[in-house]
Amino acid sequence: MHKIAPSLLLLSSLAIGATAAHAQSPTPRPAPLLQPAPVRIAPPDPALRAAFEAAAGSGLDDLALAGFSGQPLAGWLEYAALRGRMDTLPLARGSTFLAAHRDAPVAVAFRSDWLNALARRNEWQAFLDQWDAGIDSATLRCLRLQALMAVNRTDAAWTAEAQALWRSSGRSLPAQCDPPFALLAAQGSLTDALRWERFDLAAAGAQAGVMRAIAAGLPAADAALALQYAAYLDAPDAAVDAWPKTARSRLVASTALAKLAKADPSRAEMLLPGVAQALAFDEADRGRVLYQIALWSVASYLPESARRLARVPASAYDDSLHEWRVREALSRSDWAAALAAIRRMPDAQRNDSRWLYFGARTSELTGDAAGAKALYAQAARKPDFHGFLAADRLGQPYALCPWLPAPTPALKQAIARDPAIVRAVQLFQLDRRGWAAREWNAALTRFSDEQRRLAVEVAQDNGWFDRGVFGLVNVDGKRHPQEQRLYRLRFPLHHDATIRREAARNQLDPAWVAAEIRAESVFDPNARSSADARGLMQVVPATGAAIAAKIGLPWRGADTLYDADTNIAIGTAYLRQLMDRYGGKPYQVIAGYNAGPTPLNRWVSQRPAMDPDFWIETISYRETREYVARVLSFSTIYDWRLDGSALRLTERMQGITTGPRKAFACPAEPAASPLAPAPAKPGKRRR
């Protein structure tokens, strides 16, 4: 259960998978016999686990390290032991470690720490000797420039690299960049043109502090104007008549008003006409401000939202604002305006299952039953939240086309023996998640698609379930849409007996409980969030202690939540508590589980009688809006995984746990086109 900041988070798509057209054939209940046999990787033994703990604490000497030299994680153990000695480590020892491991993930991790240590030690020639051209860290690149300064190698190449770093960002750069930039200026190579170039980047990003720092190096008259610009970003007003009517003035003023609009859209709207006239704003300048005025108005559903949306020029509209225009109309139950807003969307956006569904709903409510039916039929081809709702409207099976690749035991065994996969899994089991991910990513660069999918199976066989999220569909910048159909891997199921038992005890839908676990932790019992939510259902310790006391479970402190059975018992009891508090409506409970009670109470009071689908879509927080739809759609998939059929989603989201169950069917592909890819899913939070 997470709390999120009450700021606007813009919407993107939620697709679970993709299917094609609509001639249906029943999808059988999942067949366990088709699943490849689990392949176990030997876990780290207790002595190795203890050695890692010692390395992170008091340290390990070389004699102790030698005792683990033949184990897969020997390199990582040595790295763990050397990290605490970097400031005194002999140069030869560092060089030997890098030579022994070359470009392996452990060498990449070591090199970063080692270079920072060498810089602290002023061992500049050693720093240059250990440099790797693939390093892209701004901090280390600036330290390299310092190293070259220390050995008197500030040639034309040095100047070009320093200038490239200067112009690389309008945001604040690391303090390690200050000495190279100072020398660049002393050489006369940090020209006024370069200063203004970065100043403009900073202005576009509303980085007033960076703008002030840059102004300090400009001639007096230019510096005075630059400081005026920076001050205006912090406190915009109408006093811009004395500014030059230049593109830079227009950029600063429009960016400042757009920034103001996030906090006070009414004041930004009041200032805009005078500032625009004084500086001769063009459509792009006006659009930059009007966009933010409209966006931050509709994010809170202010009374002026519709008027402000209408003022935004078409050239400034993007997918997000198109969606907010629909939501604003839905929030007022203005079905005709919502339908018109959907029809103004670009084709690709309008044909997403979400907007096909709401196009159908609003068509239906405005009297076009035939048009609604056609749109429902298109949406129902997609195995996602809105596709399932559309199928309910049509009374047809849910679309699902599971892909169960033929088992390849020999290749899977080979993957399980791959040294990088062995190291990755063992590091995960030692709770060294970042190091495990380094080894995993390195392995995947060598694997074919089939090997990568089998690596996900191996990881899940060994308890690393989130590889079904991070190892499929979108991998290393490449999209594999057909892998959305690997439901067994993408929707792992563990502790199902406990899930069924505790769901029954609390009169909950077990598929919903499984979906919450998938959304919160991807079945990782040791998951822990930045808010200290822990375990499978991401329960915060204070809530865990209170619920444990209420239901009579032993409580041994916050780490109790890392026990899977206990976490599920507490999490389901908490869901039951929320269900009782909010009238037995899961869609509202799910919103509260994610966002907390304060925003939930506000949303409930604002739209108390709104239909659940419209209520969910008009949630003002993007994360919660997506989370509710995602958990509900996941629950349909988990119902299929648990029982081979599903409750109607329309009833499920209202808390009805009995009644007719629906079959799943695989729509037939159109002969002339391949399986259509689903829209990409955003990477903000793991769910």
Side-chain angles (χ1 to χ4, degrees):
M1 59 199 73
H2 296 286
K3 302 292 180 64
I4 61 176
S7 59
L8 174 66
L9 298 163
L10 305 181
L11 175 75
S12 25
S13 305
L14 249 190
I16 292 176
T19 56
H22 186 82
Q24 312 260 341
S25 60
T27 296
R29 183 170 179 160
L33 292 177
L34 294 178
Q35 300 181 16
V39 176
R40 309 295 185 194
I41 291 174
D45 61 40
L48 181 60
R49 185 178 297 273
F52 269 95
E53 295 301 324
S58 58
L60 286 179
D61 59 26
D62 290 348
L63 182 61
L65 286 172
F68 298 96
S69 61
Q71 298 204 19
L73 297 185
W76 285 103
L77 181 62
E78 185 178 1
Y79 168 55
L82 296 181
R83 290 179 85 189
R85 308 190 228 156
M86 289 289 188
D87 288 339
T88 57
L89 193 69
L91 297 180
R93 181 65 183 276
S95 298
T96 299
F97 185 91
L98 287 172
H101 298 284
R102 297 185 181 275
D103 297 323
V106 69
V108 175
F110 178 90
R111 190 186 304 275
S112 177
D113 290 349
W114 185 225
L115 289 172
N116 275 291
L118 291 173
R120 290 192 299 271
R121 292 161 52 167
N122 293 320
E123 299 272 8
W124 295 116
Q125 186 56 56
F127 181 103
L128 294 171
D129 292 341
Q130 302 297 344
W131 182 256
D132 183 272
I135 294 172
D136 60 4
S137 160
T139 297
L140 289 177
R141 288 176 65 195
C142 284
L143 286 175
R144 179 176 177 274
L145 291 174
Q146 287 193 46
L148 291 168
M149 291 165 59
V151 298
N152 296 314
R153 288 170 52 189
T154 53
D155 53 12
W158 183 95
T159 299
E161 185 172 349
Q163 289 175 332
L165 271 165
W166 169 266
R167 57 164 59 97
S168 66
S169 174
R171 304 187 71 84
S172 180
L173 288 166
Q176 290 84 350
C177 297
D178 292 346
F181 290 161
L183 179 57
L184 198 65
Q187 291 177 337
S189 299
L190 191 53
T191 63
D192 290 350
L194 271 174
R195 292 183 189 276
W196 281 118
E197 181 180 342
R198 187 165 177 230
F199 185 94
D200 291 344
L201 288 175
Q207 299 293 308
V210 176
M211 293 163 67
R212 290 188 180 93
I214 295 170
L218 290 168
D222 287 350
L225 179 60
L227 289 173
Q228 287 182 45
Y229 285 151
Y232 193 82
L233 268 175
D234 287 335
D237 54 29
V240 296
D241 292 334
W243 287 10
K245 291 181 173 59
T246 61
R248 179 172 294 121
S249 293
R250 291 189 288 273
L251 171 66
V252 170
S254 61
T255 300
L257 292 178
K259 178 185 174 185
L260 173 64
K262 297 179 181 181
D264 191 346
S266 294
R267 177 161 172 75
E269 187 175 46
M270 181 192 73
L271 289 173
L272 176 59
V275 173
Q277 183 175 8
L279 296 178
F281 274 16
D282 60 17
E283 182 175 282
D285 300 319
R286 290 178 183 274
R288 184 177 297 118
V289 182
L290 291 169
Y291 178 101
Q292 296 295 341
I293 291 171
L295 186 62
W296 292 93
S297 298
V298 71
S300 298
Y301 297 110
L302 299 179
E304 296 291 324
S305 295
R307 180 184 62 80
R308 288 169 176 170
L309 283 163
R311 290 192 65 201
V312 180
S315 59
Y317 260 81
D318 61 4
D319 285 358
S320 177
L321 205 60
H322 278 296
E323 293 173 354
W324 276 109
R325 182 156 56 180
V326 179
R327 286 190 202 102
E328 189 280 330
L330 293 178
S331 73
R332 295 183 287 106
S333 300
D334 188 339
W335 315 127
L339 181 58
I342 292 170
R343 288 173 174 168
R344 284 194 289 265
M345 288 176 165
D347 289 348
Q349 184 180 19
R350 190 174 63 251
N351 287 317
D352 179 78
S353 62
R354 178 191 302 266
W355 304 115
L356 287 169
Y357 173 78
F358 284 112
R361 281 283 270 138
T362 51
S363 293
E364 197 170 39
L365 289 164
T366 53
D368 183 7
K373 185 175 181 180
L375 291 171
Y376 282 137
Q378 292 181 62
R381 297 168 185 153
K382 305 293 179 65
D384 59 17
F385 177 63
H386 298 96
F388 295 149
L389 290 179
D392 283 353
R393 290 271 167 180
L394 296 173
Q396 68 183 39
Y398 291 142
L400 204 71
C401 292
W403 178 23
L404 294 171
T408 51
L411 183 54
K412 185 175 177 180
Q413 290 283 354
I415 294 296
R417 292 191 299 270
D418 184 275
I421 293 297
V422 172
R423 290 192 296 267
V425 168
Q426 290 192 344
L427 286 166
F428 171 81
Q429 292 168 335
L430 288 171
D431 203 26
R432 267 64 176 182
R433 309 297 177 88
W435 298 352
R438 285 177 180 266
E439 290 284 2
W440 172 269
N441 292 334
L444 261 55
T445 62
R446 299 183 280 105
F447 286 174
S448 67
D449 288 344
E450 182 182 16
Q451 289 173 316
R452 173 174 49 80
R453 291 191 288 267
L454 288 171
V456 170
E457 289 192 13
V458 169
Q460 292 192 346
D461 288 347
N462 290 274
W464 198 2
F465 296 112
D466 72 4
R467 296 303 90 184
V469 176
F470 298 112
L472 300 172
V473 185
N474 292 303
V475 184
D476 195 25
K478 293 183 180 179
R479 185 161 175 79
H480 306 272
Q482 75 281 7
E483 291 179 356
Q484 290 176 324
R485 296 167 47 210
L486 293 170
Y487 296 107
R488 179 176 57 80
L489 295 178
R490 294 183 56 239
F491 294 89
L493 183 58
H494 204 42
H495 309 293
D496 46 311
T498 304
I499 289 169
R500 289 182 189 271
R501 183 187 68 241
E502 296 303 326
R505 188 193 309 276
N506 290 284
Q507 297 179 296
L508 297 173
D509 171 12
W512 173 20
V513 176
E516 285 287 354
I517 294 172
R518 165 61 167 77
E520 291 289 338
S521 68
V522 198
F523 285 84
D524 179 1
N526 296 314
R528 183 175 180 178
S529 77
S530 58
D532 201 28
R534 302 185 183 206
L536 292 173
M537 298 188 73
Q538 289 291 274
V539 180
V540 295
T543 299
I547 297 292
K550 182 177 180 180
I551 64 177
L553 280 178
W555 181 258
R556 300 174 301 280
D559 285 357
T560 304
L561 294 168
Y562 292 131
D563 178 78
D565 288 351
T566 302
N567 190 284
I568 294 171
I570 289 173
T572 51
Y574 181 64
L575 286 177
R576 180 70 261 167
Q577 180 176 298
L578 293 176
M579 285 282 282
D580 294 340
R581 183 183 305 168
Y582 294 104
K585 297 177 179 178
Y587 68 96
Q588 293 182 354
V589 170
I590 296 167
Y593 199 85
N594 177 259
T598 300
L600 174 59
N601 290 333
R602 182 173 69 250
W603 299 328
V604 170
S605 65
Q606 287 172 340
R607 295 178 291 283
M610 182 169 275
D611 287 351
D613 52 352
F614 291 138
W615 190 91
I616 294 166
E617 186 55 40
T618 53
I619 291 172
S620 53
Y621 297 176
R622 165 186 158 177
E623 180 176 334
T624 303
R625 184 170 61 248
E626 293 185 350
Y627 180 84
V628 174
R630 186 157 57 245
V631 169
L632 287 167
S633 57
F634 286 3
S635 69
T636 301
I637 300 296
Y638 275 109
D639 216 354
W640 169 72
R641 287 226 58 190
L642 286 162
D643 292 310
S645 60
L647 290 166
R648 279 169 45 95
L649 182 54
T650 302
E651 279 76 46
R652 180 196 302 280
M653 65 182 177
Q654 301 207 58
I656 300 170
T657 58
T658 60
R661 297 182 65 82
K662 294 188 66 168
F664 288 77
C666 183
E669 278 189 57
S673 65
L675 185 70
K681 181 177 166 183
K684 171 68 172 114
R685 289 178 70 170
R686 185 183 73 189
R687 285 290 180 214

